[in-house]
Amino acid sequence: MYSQSRRRKISGRQSEESSDDENYVPYIPVKQRKKAQFQNVEMRLGRAAALIKEEEEAIKQSTSEGSEISEREDEDNSGEEEETQGAGERSHISLLDQHSELKKKAEAKKETAREKLLKEEERILESVAEKTALMGVAELAKGIQYQEAIKTGWLPPRCIRELSETRHERLRKKMHILVEGEDLPPPIANFKEMKFPKAIISGLKKKGITKPTPIQIQGIPTVLLGRDMIGIAFTGSGKTLVFTLPIIMFCLEQEKRLPFIKGEGPYGLIICPSRELARQTHEIIQYYSQCLADDGFPLLHCGLCIGGVSVKEQLEVIKAGIHILVATTGRLMDMLNKKMVTLDVCRYLAMDEADRMIDMGFEEDVRTIFSYFKSQRQTLLFSATMPKKIQNFARSALVKPVTVNVGRAGAASLDVIQEVEYVKQEAKMMYLLECLQKTAPPVLIFAEKKQDVDSIHEYLLLKGVEAVAVHGGKDQEERTRSVDQFKHFKKDVLVATDVASKGLDFPDIQHVINYDMPEDIENYVHRIGRTGRCGKTGIATTFINKTVEESILLDLKHLLIEAKQNCPPFLAGMTSESEKYLDIGGEVGCSYCGGLGHRISDCPKLEALQTKQAQNIGRRDYLANNSADW
Ligand code: ADP
Ligand code: MG
């Protein structure tokens, strides 16, 4: 229809033109014709120029709308303009009124700019958020969604149940505990009321533990009630007991009901990001199991499943029937694959330093491990740092989760005195020796690269310092020996890469030295968190120089300010464009990585990830995989 009518129109016009042609056209002198032509060109040019001008104006307008924020500084000027106009129009209104009205307008304008920025950030976060939930493939495929938390046989004692919610709220407030979720479990301020047997209470006492820490006050009842949980608390605040003590109690209950037989189990699984942390957690569980066994309870069996150790030995323990298995993902996946371990009866899963695991690219492995579960499990995630991106993503794996937060996620422990020193690259090694004098041993030195760890180790040995070293390139036997020697005060200094930065609990570390600044701020928080644990204070010294990226220095600067630490002048003097908008909206800093010195729109980590993803398009999966030392 349309084309037909159009065709008709054209033909009509043609016929008009042809009839014009037939008409007589009088002669026009060349001069006049030229003038007319010139005017024509001028007119056409004029329209073109006008069009260009119009276009330019439109662009200007749209950009000024889009980047109102970047022009916020100019707003004062434009405000002034409006003011003079307004004054001309409405000179009968008092100046004060005019001022307040204009101020309101300016505020509203700022508000919308802020909202726009927040919306934009939300969009970025959404676009980078994981598309698939952190669930096993089977659960995803069958669309299984559990609605209710697992039921356990534990109930808070009557005296706690009878307390009103306001009393609970008061205790949480006093302890600076933030909780989120439905049907919040009550906080309990002592171990006895958590109904732990005497054997556990005296075992705790032997370790100098008499009163629960804030994360334990809220976390242990939550776990004992069978609820899924995300636990965020400072390094050294006692998170380990929040997931180990309840699993010991659950296994004891199971064992009493129906003793575990050969080949059965595990009932509880704990996944850790490093072999050393897994060994440490395994030792803690064995300690409390032994306390119980000594008091006449059945002995619980706990297996350890980590790389670098013979599979045969591990398998023997597992085959005898185990209640709890502590594992790193690599070896666990391997053993699950070969059907050496099954998770058929596993009902309890805790991930320690959960965000570090997902962040290091082991999310796919975690998902694979999830797919080996045969029925609903209780899932617990713990860490000192937990960026929003990971919290949202992790929540998809949890059922009616309770989030317990003690201190801002990603904040450093306030018991660590943080010092940052400018040391030239070539002077670092020499200065290290001087720096070691700051405190008595034990001292922990971190470096990013394995070669640096080796050369520092060698240098210290040459200078007569009793030092040991750990990194992913060393064999497991040496790693274990070094850590043990350091832990038992046989060596004064441990030099390590980030394998030793997460979760390891060395007693009484006096000083943590960062030979270099880690590439992301969360690693910094974890590294310095090896000292200043559980009420003790410690020092952290970090070497920085020109080689460190600006964005990470800005994050560091804001972290120091937040923790009320001394900020050296060269850091304090650093500013960036994006710093102006850091505290827009409720959340301070970057919602992707948690860094305080930038917003998500300037996140270097996100940028690096996107570049990596772009590079990996079309590559094979295993090439894209992170191959850290698990
Ligand atoms: P996180 O995992 O939060 O970094 P850990 O669980 O490793 O911290 O605990 C740090 C140290 O604090 C350990 O040596 C532990 O024995 C000790 N600890 C744990 N809970 C308490 C407590 N309630 N009172 C005193 N010390 C505790
Ligand atoms: Mg820990």
Side-chain angles (χ1 to χ4, degrees):
M1 277 292 283
Y2 174 71
S3 57
Q4 270 178 8
S5 62
R6 190 163 166 237
R7 200 176 297 152
R8 218 175 290 141
K9 251 189 195 166
I10 291 166
S11 63
R13 199 192 296 159
Q14 268 173 350
S15 70
E16 253 174 48
E17 271 168 11
S18 61
S19 73
D20 274 356
D21 281 353
E22 280 163 25
N23 290 341
Y24 166 73
V25 183
Y27 172 75
I28 302 167
V30 179
K31 217 175 170 182
Q32 262 183 12
R33 278 210 315 258
K34 275 206 169 155
K35 202 176 167 188
Q37 224 175 359
F38 182 70
Q39 270 176 348
N40 233 347
V41 170
E42 215 177 19
M43 258 169 64
R44 276 214 310 268
L45 262 181
R47 182 172 306 134
L51 280 175
I52 290 170
K53 213 172 169 189
E54 247 173 59
E55 244 174 40
E56 272 175 358
E57 232 139 70
I59 291 169
K60 232 191 235 169
Q61 233 174 5
S62 70
T63 49
S64 75
E65 268 170 26
S67 61
E68 262 175 76
I69 307 135
S70 64
E71 287 179 9
R72 238 208 276 170
E73 286 164 283
D74 301 338
E75 264 176 21
D76 296 348
N77 300 338
S78 61
E80 266 169 37
E81 264 170 42
E82 271 178 42
E83 201 165 350
T84 43
Q85 276 174 11
E89 277 167 23
R90 293 168 286 140
S91 46
H92 55 281
I93 306 174
S94 83
L95 272 175
L96 201 69
D97 286 350
Q98 280 177 28
H99 173 74
S100 67
E101 198 173 310
L102 284 168
K103 208 168 154 192
K104 248 188 247 164
K105 258 191 207 165
E107 293 269 295
K109 219 176 184 181
K110 261 186 202 172
E111 200 58 47
T112 52
R114 183 171 301 174
E115 273 166 20
K116 241 180 222 166
L117 185 68
L118 284 178
K119 234 180 233 160
E120 175 65 15
E121 290 197 343
E122 218 168 86
R123 199 191 53 75
I124 299 177
L125 190 63
E126 210 165 274
S127 72
V128 295
E130 309 300 324
K131 295 291 179 289
T132 37
L134 186 62
M135 286 198 272
V137 265
E139 285 165 13
L140 279 174
K142 290 181 204 154
I144 299 174
Q145 288 239 326
Y146 299 107
Q147 304 296 336
E148 283 304 317
I150 278 188
K151 292 259 176 317
T152 64
W154 187 88
L155 262 186
R158 187 189 288 260
C159 60
I160 299 287
R161 270 182 285 155
E162 279 169 356
L163 293 179
S164 66
E165 190 52 38
T166 38
R167 284 285 292 274
H168 296 326
E169 229 3 90
R170 208 179 305 156
L171 178 60
R172 287 185 193 122
K173 213 169 175 185
K174 194 174 137 204
M175 294 293 176
H176 305 285
I177 303 168
L178 298 175
V179 252
E180 265 174 58
E182 292 170 48
D183 305 329
L184 295 175
I188 302 183
N190 63 62
F191 288 116
K192 225 183 231 160
E193 284 175 347
M194 293 175 190
K195 298 189 185 168
F196 286 119
K198 270 203 190 97
I200 296 264
I201 307 242
S202 62
L204 285 167
K205 214 175 252 167
K206 266 189 220 154
K207 295 251 171 201
I209 303 173
T210 47
K211 267 205 267 172
T213 60
I215 184 76
Q216 293 164 351
I217 289 178
Q218 181 64 62
I220 295 180
T222 305
V223 183
L224 283 172
L225 272 172
R227 298 291 297 273
D228 283 2
M229 171 176 163
I230 297 179
I232 305 160
F234 294 116
T235 48
S237 58
K239 292 184 287 291
T240 319
L241 290 183
V242 180
F243 57 88
T244 48
L245 290 182
I247 184 58
I248 290 173
M249 296 315 297
F250 293 151
C251 289
L252 208 58
E253 201 178 274
Q254 288 294 323
E255 175 68 26
K256 273 202 267 179
R257 209 179 286 164
L258 187 70
F260 276 58
I261 52 164
K262 263 189 187 168
E264 215 176 5
Y267 183 78
L269 175 65
I270 296 167
I271 315 179
C272 302
S274 75
R275 298 171 187 175
E276 280 74 18
L277 181 57
R279 267 182 1 104
Q280 177 181 298
T281 312
H282 179 250
E283 271 168 27
I284 292 172
I285 295 174
Q286 286 210 312
Y287 169 77
Y288 291 105
S289 310
Q290 196 55 50
C291 289
L292 286 166
D294 290 346
D295 205 33
F297 287 94
L299 179 66
L300 298 179
H301 299 285
C302 179
L304 179 63
C305 176
I306 56 174
V309 186
S310 104
V311 177
K312 213 173 137 211
E313 277 170 38
Q314 293 177 0
L315 200 58
E316 267 169 29
V317 179
I318 294 169
K319 270 190 176 160
I322 48 166
H323 299 86
I324 304 167
L325 185 63
V326 186
T328 52
T329 50
R331 178 59 64 90
L332 178 64
M333 292 244 296
D334 191 38
M335 291 181 93
L336 282 169
N337 237 340
K338 292 179 181 149
K339 299 209 165 36
M340 292 170 172
V341 188
T342 70
L343 299 180
D344 294 0
V345 299
C346 198
R347 297 287 177 275
Y348 183 99
L349 171 72
M351 273 169 72
D352 201 5
E353 313 294 352
D355 69 313
R356 305 281 78 210
M357 288 220 256
I358 296 170
D359 204 41
M360 286 165 80
F362 288 85
E363 170 202 327
E364 211 40 62
D365 294 1
V366 171
R367 195 169 286 146
T368 311
I369 293 169
F370 281 9
S371 67
Y372 281 94
F373 281 82
K374 289 283 159 62
S375 54
Q376 190 180 356
R377 61 170 181 267
Q378 183 179 1
T379 314
L380 312 164
L381 310 176
F382 287 88
S383 189
T385 52
M386 194 81 80
K388 208 170 181 186
K389 167 214 162 199
I390 289 180
Q391 277 186 50
N392 289 346
F393 165 52
R395 234 171 242 141
S396 63
L398 310 184
V399 182
K400 268 177 77 178
V402 179
T403 308
V404 183
N405 194 334
V406 183
R408 186 185 68 78
S413 164
L414 295 178
D415 295 327
V416 183
I417 300 164
Q418 302 174 50
E419 293 177 358
V420 178
E421 302 193 21
Y422 191 96
V423 188
K424 278 190 185 156
Q425 196 67 14
E426 59 277 10
K428 272 182 171 180
M429 202 67 94
M430 302 268 277
Y431 187 61
L432 195 60
L433 219 49
E434 198 176 311
C435 207
L436 278 176
Q437 313 292 327
K438 265 194 198 175
T439 64
V443 179
L444 192 48
I445 302 174
F446 282 112
E448 286 275 282
K449 296 194 196 109
K450 293 176 199 166
Q451 306 99 281
D452 284 341
V453 167
D454 282 335
S455 32
I456 296 169
H457 184 205
E458 212 177 291
Y459 178 75
L460 292 181
L461 287 180
L462 271 175
K463 296 286 171 191
V465 179
E466 290 281 329
V468 279
V470 216
H471 61 64
K474 292 185 179 287
D475 71 56
Q476 190 52 37
E477 221 172 285
E478 192 182 344
R479 278 168 67 166
T480 308
R481 195 171 353 107
S482 302
V483 169
D484 282 349
Q485 283 176 331
F486 184 63
K487 218 172 200 172
H488 297 113
F489 304 106
K490 287 186 189 128
K491 297 283 174 182
D492 293 337
V493 176
L494 175 67
V495 193
T497 55
D498 278 319
V499 286
S501 70
K502 295 167 285 276
L504 291 192
D505 183 45
F506 298 112
D508 294 318
I509 297 266
Q510 302 291 319
H511 190 183
V512 172
I513 302 175
N514 284 315
Y515 183 77
D516 43 28
M517 181 69 199
E519 269 168 24
D520 66 62
I521 197 78
E522 289 132 301
N523 263 355
Y524 171 81
V525 172
H526 283 270
R527 279 183 182 186
I528 66 166
R530 294 315 103 210
T531 183
R533 297 176 75 74
C534 230
K536 293 177 193 140
T537 48
I539 302 180
T541 306
T542 305
F543 296 175
I544 59 168
N545 55 34
K546 264 187 256 156
T547 59
V548 186
E549 295 230 352
E550 192 187 51
S551 65
I552 183 78
L553 288 181
L554 281 170
D555 284 347
L556 179 62
K557 170 184 153 183
H558 287 275
L559 192 83
L560 291 177
I561 295 172
E562 186 196 46
K564 300 197 171 51
Q565 301 285 321
N566 259 343
C567 194
F570 54 86
L571 262 190
M574 272 181 79
T575 47
S576 92
E577 259 309 289
S578 54
E579 263 189 319
K580 276 180 251 160
Y581 318 118
L582 285 178
D583 57 351
I584 297 177
E587 190 157 344
V588 181
C590 174
S591 48
Y592 181 75
C593 78
L596 285 176
H598 63 270
R599 302 289 296 182
I600 188 171
S601 41
D602 303 312
C603 180
K605 213 163 158 188
L606 182 57
E607 206 175 300
L609 179 88
Q610 280 163 344
T611 321
K612 198 173 145 204
Q613 273 172 353
Q615 282 169 351
N616 282 337
I617 290 173
R619 283 213 204 163
R620 291 183 107 163
D621 225 17
Y622 62 84
L623 282 177
N625 251 341
N626 193 337
S627 55
D629 77 317
W630 292 56

PDB file of all heavy atoms in Angstrom, residues 239-240 352-353 503 533, ligand 2:
ATOM      1  N   LYS A 239      36.630 -16.299  64.017  1.00  0.00           N
ATOM      2  CA  LYS A 239      35.607 -16.862  63.124  1.00  0.00           C
ATOM      3  C   LYS A 239      35.661 -18.391  63.074  1.00  0.00           C
ATOM      4  O   LYS A 239      34.635 -19.047  62.933  1.00  0.00           O
ATOM      5  CB  LYS A 239      35.779 -16.291  61.702  1.00  0.00           C
ATOM      6  CG  LYS A 239      35.455 -14.810  61.597  1.00  0.00           C
ATOM      7  CD  LYS A 239      35.540 -14.317  60.183  1.00  0.00           C
ATOM      8  CE  LYS A 239      36.932 -14.206  59.658  1.00  0.00           C
ATOM      9  NZ  LYS A 239      37.762 -13.146  60.259  1.00  0.00           N
ATOM     10  N   THR A 240      36.867 -18.940  63.202  1.00  0.00           N
ATOM     11  CA  THR A 240      37.013 -20.398  63.053  1.00  0.00           C
ATOM     12  C   THR A 240      36.085 -21.170  63.992  1.00  0.00           C
ATOM     13  O   THR A 240      35.455 -22.147  63.579  1.00  0.00           O
ATOM     14  CB  THR A 240      38.475 -20.820  63.333  1.00  0.00           C
ATOM     15  OG1 THR A 240      39.325 -19.854  62.742  1.00  0.00           O
ATOM     16  CG2 THR A 240      38.771 -22.186  62.791  1.00  0.00           C
ATOM     17  N   ASP A 352      35.818 -21.140  54.375  1.00  0.00           N
ATOM     18  CA  ASP A 352      36.554 -20.107  55.104  1.00  0.00           C
ATOM     19  C   ASP A 352      37.218 -19.203  54.078  1.00  0.00           C
ATOM     20  O   ASP A 352      37.646 -19.675  53.024  1.00  0.00           O
ATOM     21  CB  ASP A 352      37.592 -20.769  56.014  1.00  0.00           C
ATOM     22  CG  ASP A 352      38.029 -19.844  57.134  1.00  0.00           C
ATOM     23  OD1 ASP A 352      37.461 -18.748  57.252  1.00  0.00           O
ATOM     24  OD2 ASP A 352      38.937 -20.226  57.894  1.00  0.00           O
ATOM     25  N   GLU A 353      37.322 -17.930  54.374  1.00  0.00           N
ATOM     26  CA  GLU A 353      37.873 -16.937  53.440  1.00  0.00           C
ATOM     27  C   GLU A 353      37.159 -17.081  52.090  1.00  0.00           C
ATOM     28  O   GLU A 353      37.793 -17.126  51.032  1.00  0.00           O
ATOM     29  CB  GLU A 353      39.383 -17.118  53.264  1.00  0.00           C
ATOM     30  CG  GLU A 353      40.178 -17.289  54.544  1.00  0.00           C
ATOM     31  CD  GLU A 353      40.180 -16.059  55.444  1.00  0.00           C
ATOM     32  OE1 GLU A 353      39.680 -15.012  55.013  1.00  0.00           O
ATOM     33  OE2 GLU A 353      40.642 -16.168  56.582  1.00  0.00           O
ATOM     34  N   GLY A 503      44.015 -16.328  56.811  1.00  0.00           N
ATOM     35  CA  GLY A 503      43.498 -17.225  57.838  1.00  0.00           C
ATOM     36  C   GLY A 503      44.502 -17.813  58.802  1.00  0.00           C
ATOM     37  O   GLY A 503      44.123 -18.307  59.855  1.00  0.00           O
ATOM     38  N   ARG A 533      45.921  -9.955  66.724  1.00  0.00           N
ATOM     39  CA  ARG A 533      44.803 -10.898  66.744  1.00  0.00           C
ATOM     40  C   ARG A 533      44.217 -11.036  68.140  1.00  0.00           C
ATOM     41  O   ARG A 533      44.930 -11.055  69.125  1.00  0.00           O
ATOM     42  CB  ARG A 533      45.259 -12.258  66.218  1.00  0.00           C
ATOM     43  CG  ARG A 533      45.690 -12.162  64.764  1.00  0.00           C
ATOM     44  CD  ARG A 533      46.225 -13.462  64.244  1.00  0.00           C
ATOM     45  NE  ARG A 533      45.203 -14.457  63.979  1.00  0.00           N
ATOM     46  CZ  ARG A 533      44.375 -14.425  62.958  1.00  0.00           C
ATOM     47  NH1 ARG A 533      44.431 -13.425  62.124  1.00  0.00           N
ATOM     48  NH2 ARG A 533      43.491 -15.371  62.768  1.00  0.00           N
TER      49      ARG A 533
HETATM   50 MG    MG B   2      40.039 -17.404  59.871  1.00  0.00          MG
END
